[in-house]
Amino acid sequence: MQFESLPSDRGQTSSPLPGALTIAPSNMAPEVRPARVLMIAATTDTSRITEQAAQIGVEIRVTSSTLFALGLIVDYDPEILWIDSTDDELSLEEICDAIRTPRQIHPVAVVVSQSALPASFDCASYRVDEVLQGEVCDEMTGAKLMQLVKVTRLERQVIRREHEILDSLPHALLVVDRQLTLWKVNRQLTKLLEITDSDYRRKALGRHFGSGLAAAGLKVEGDCPLPRLVHEMGQAIRAGKRGFRVKEAIGGSERLFSAEITELVHSPENFLIDLRDITADEQAVLVEARRERLATIGNLSVGVAHEIQNPNTFSRVNAANLKMMFDAVRPLVQQAAMATGGKLGALPAETFLKKMSEAISAVDMASRRIETVLTTLKSFGRQDDGALESFDLRAVVDEAVMLVRHEARGKAEIKLDLPDTLPEAYGAKIGLSQVLVNLLQNSLHAFDENKPQARKDGPAEILIRCEACNEEEVILSVSDNGPGVDENLQEKIFRPYFTTKPQGLGTGLGLSISTDMMHRFGGDLTLKSRAGEGATFYIKLRRHDAVAPDK
């Protein structure tokens, strides 16, 4: 291998060589750099070639090794690759194939000496820009070389400007072909996909999109990183779709992405993909839909409650009347029973009268319980208008327990460890009720999991207690003796769309919405748990008397 060292003054801007071109980025002063040519030639007289190149303002490197030349292209960054001869390492066809993709990313002109050109070689297919017959110092050859340098630098400038434009846009953008080879990408994509490798663009361009992600250090899952995103992108392009949606895990969080696909007019085999994270938008839509569903359920429950209220009131009034009439006739019945041996039918008179009194009291008690449930339903059915106010904390806890008691029956016992009186809290009564109902239902669902549980063979229990109460805040806890939560999942369960429940049972939004709601109150929702040792959620609320009037 023959190698000629470069002149020591290359790259200096004070005295550019004759014919040297200038590259001027839009925000910088012009940079003067001699044109560079990398030459593959089986010659030992490299000094003569170097001198000839200097006469036309060209810097040249000469090597006889085709493999070494391919490796040198990146470091030397020539505008022209001149193939004057080949060796046993690579043929002319193999050299042109090897640089086909890199040339599309970072243009390099390819010229071939007539003497190195095989008879059947198709220059157009292998994108050979020029076939030369003369030497470097030849006037015609020099003119052709300088023209190719100008074209190459203009092509590079266009590509740089395209990247600048892409980087200035607010959305994550990439250009791929039908095989998902990545040709262009902007900085927003690296932010969106949390790619920390600052050299991602250089490593990824010209590769399959998935391979480029792996080269940037993203964790490989299956065949490549972000397999669902890569798969859906390929499917959509092959099917001719204009867009797609996909859920993908980024940084341990499940996110929802939406992509718009545009076929490039002047390059129909390439596609511009506008990729956006719509997790927050979709969550807002789902929250609104859930609010509307709750409002609908609330309206229905209020309507049903009103329908039941009338006959229940009738039952209560009649039970009271029946009790009053029974008390009035009781002495007469006792006297009549004395005449028949102290019996009424087959029962002793006192037993009969006692059972009758108990039956009337039971009707009255059942009617009162129905009224309590109806009152809770009507309260839960009222829409949350978002206003924050003071409310009776104990009443909200009782209401939430009432709403899930039927679901808990036969599955778990809900216990309360609360003082008789709790200070008024500040927030939204209906919102806190929804948070408590969600936590209670999560605990009930957890008891069904086939995992080691803190209760072992004992009964399932949920305990609501007051952990702390000071001048500033009140802290409630909702704890269970179920399976608990793995430590590596405790941060994730508060993220949107993350759920450990079977498909169809959970949306992954309950805890996320509950956390957002608690933050809106100026409070917090936290978890303390270990796998197999149950879970405890802490609800921190501000006291009403600790909130400034203007807050």
Side-chain angles (χ1 to χ4, degrees):
M1 179 186 301
Q2 299 295 325
F3 180 76
E4 177 69 20
S5 61
L6 296 177
S8 59
D9 61 346
R10 75 161 180 257
Q12 294 182 356
T13 59
S14 57
S15 55
L17 293 173
L21 301 181
T22 61
I23 302 175
S26 58
N27 59 344
M28 294 178 61
E31 173 193 355
V32 179
R33 195 199 78 176
R36 291 178 179 175
V37 176
L38 178 61
M39 189 177 194
I40 304 175
T43 180
T44 58
D45 189 10
T46 58
S47 59
R48 181 179 62 84
I49 296 176
T50 302
E51 291 173 359
Q52 291 177 351
Q55 294 175 13
I56 60 171
V58 173
E59 209 175 72
I60 194 165
R61 249 186 177 179
V62 183
T63 178
S64 60
S65 169
T66 53
L67 284 176
F68 183 77
L70 292 184
L72 198 59
I73 286 178
V74 175
D75 294 329
Y76 185 48
D77 190 22
E79 283 84 3
I80 298 174
L81 174 64
W82 187 347
I83 305 172
D84 184 65
S85 65
T86 57
D87 53 21
D88 295 335
E89 296 170 338
L90 294 172
S91 66
L92 181 60
E93 292 87 346
E94 290 171 331
I95 296 172
C96 292
D97 277 335
I99 63 175
R100 185 186 297 271
T101 296
R103 288 177 69 192
Q104 292 179 257
I105 300 166
H106 191 63
V108 176
V110 175
V111 300
V112 181
S113 296
Q114 183 68 50
S115 58
L117 198 65
S120 59
F121 186 80
D122 185 353
C123 291
S125 297
Y126 287 97
R127 295 185 59 204
V128 171
D129 297 287
E130 193 71 52
V131 177
L132 300 177
Q133 295 182 350
E135 294 187 345
V136 179
C137 63
D138 181 82
E139 183 177 353
M140 181 66 69
T141 300
K144 289 180 178 179
L145 289 177
M146 295 312 298
Q147 182 62 32
L148 287 174
V149 168
K150 290 180 181 180
V151 172
T152 300
R153 288 184 168 181
L154 285 173
E155 289 176 346
R156 291 181 179 182
Q157 194 169 25
V158 168
I159 290 176
R160 283 196 298 271
R161 183 56 57 86
E162 287 177 348
H163 284 306
E164 289 173 1
I165 293 172
L166 287 176
D167 285 342
S168 69
L169 297 174
H171 300 153
L173 301 170
L174 61 153
V175 175
V176 296
D177 59 20
R178 294 187 186 278
Q179 288 72 45
L180 290 193
T181 304
L182 184 65
W183 295 114
K184 290 181 175 63
V185 61
N186 70 348
R187 291 194 186 99
Q188 296 300 328
L189 183 78
T190 62
K191 295 178 182 178
L192 184 69
L193 302 183
E194 297 186 6
I195 298 171
T196 57
D197 191 337
S198 59
D199 207 19
Y200 167 69
R201 183 176 287 172
R202 184 186 65 80
K203 292 179 180 178
L205 291 183
R207 292 188 174 196
H208 183 274
F209 180 53
S211 300
L213 295 173
L218 267 66
K219 181 181 178 182
V220 176
E221 298 179 14
D223 296 332
C224 64
L226 311 183
R228 287 175 285 178
L229 175 61
V230 174
H231 174 75
E232 287 298 324
M233 186 183 297
Q235 288 281 86
I237 289 175
R238 286 190 290 272
K241 295 181 179 179
R242 294 184 178 180
F244 64 91
R245 283 190 174 195
V246 63
K247 287 184 179 180
E248 187 59 89
I250 304 291
S253 175
E254 191 88 349
R255 299 188 193 174
L256 180 63
F257 292 98
S258 174
E260 294 181 6
I261 303 175
T262 304
E263 183 180 288
L264 300 185
V265 175
H266 300 294
S267 182
E269 288 299 309
N270 291 335
F271 303 87
L272 175 67
I273 298 178
D274 182 347
L275 189 64
R276 307 185 190 188
D277 183 349
I278 60 169
T279 306
D281 296 338
E282 190 70 9
Q283 183 184 4
V285 171
L286 291 175
V287 168
E288 179 62 21
R290 186 182 186 207
R291 190 190 69 79
E292 291 179 359
R293 286 198 300 272
L294 285 172
T296 301
I297 294 170
N299 291 334
L300 288 173
S301 67
V302 170
V304 171
H306 280 299
E307 290 297 322
I308 298 174
Q309 184 73 54
N310 291 333
N312 185 62
T313 302
F314 180 77
S315 297
R316 282 198 62 190
V317 170
N318 284 337
N321 290 337
L322 184 60
K323 185 176 185 306
M324 182 181 65
M325 289 186 290
F326 177 71
D327 290 340
V329 301
R330 184 176 188 131
L332 299 176
V333 174
Q334 288 175 329
Q335 290 178 6
M338 295 297 294
T340 58
K343 287 188 175 184
L344 289 174
L347 292 175
E350 287 303 319
T351 301
F352 180 88
L353 293 172
K354 181 180 179 182
K355 286 184 175 292
M356 179 66 77
S357 179
E358 289 175 350
I360 295 172
S361 297
V363 171
D364 182 66
M365 184 182 300
S367 181
R368 291 178 183 276
R369 185 173 180 183
I370 290 173
E371 184 174 4
T372 301
V373 173
L374 294 178
T375 301
T376 302
L377 279 176
K378 286 190 285 186
S379 174
F380 188 77
R382 289 197 298 270
Q383 295 189 32
D384 183 2
D385 59 5
L388 303 183
E389 58 187 2
S390 63
F391 59 86
D392 184 343
L393 184 55
R394 178 59 189 260
V396 174
V397 173
D398 291 338
E399 176 183 291
V401 172
M402 173 72 72
L403 289 168
V404 299
R405 193 177 294 281
H406 176 75
E407 186 177 352
R409 189 169 296 144
K411 181 180 290 187
E413 182 182 1
I414 300 177
K415 296 181 177 181
L416 301 180
D417 182 11
L418 301 171
D420 293 335
T421 59
L422 283 170
E424 287 193 340
Y426 183 75
K429 176 181 177 181
I430 296 173
L432 180 60
S433 178
Q434 292 174 3
V435 171
L436 286 167
V437 167
N438 181 65
L439 295 178
L440 292 170
Q441 288 178 331
N442 283 349
S443 291
L444 292 173
H445 294 161
F447 289 125
D448 294 330
E449 295 181 12
N450 186 24
K451 296 179 180 178
Q453 303 196 11
R455 64 189 175 114
K456 301 187 184 303
D457 297 326
E461 294 180 349
I462 302 173
L463 175 64
I464 302 176
R465 62 178 297 177
C466 180
E467 295 288 342
C469 180
N470 55 42
E471 295 180 354
E472 298 290 332
E473 60 191 19
V474 181
I475 300 177
L476 299 180
S477 66
V478 179
S479 58
D480 62 60
N481 57 354
V485 182
D486 291 337
E487 291 183 9
N488 62 330
L489 298 179
Q490 290 184 21
E491 181 183 352
K492 298 178 182 179
I493 62 173
F494 291 98
R495 296 173 180 172
Y497 302 111
F498 184 88
T499 180
T500 59
K501 297 177 183 178
Q503 187 173 3
L505 188 57
T507 63
L509 288 173
L511 285 175
S512 173
I513 293 173
S514 296
T515 304
D516 290 344
M517 196 171 295
M518 292 306 304
H519 291 167
R520 184 166 67 88
F521 300 165
D524 201 5
L525 178 64
T526 56
L527 166 67
K528 182 179 179 181
S529 178
R530 294 183 66 180
E533 297 183 11
T536 301
F537 284 89
Y538 294 94
I539 301 172
K540 183 192 294 184
L541 289 160
R542 290 186 293 171
R543 290 181 55 149
H544 173 65
D545 51 15
V547 178
D550 60 341
K551 298 297 184 181

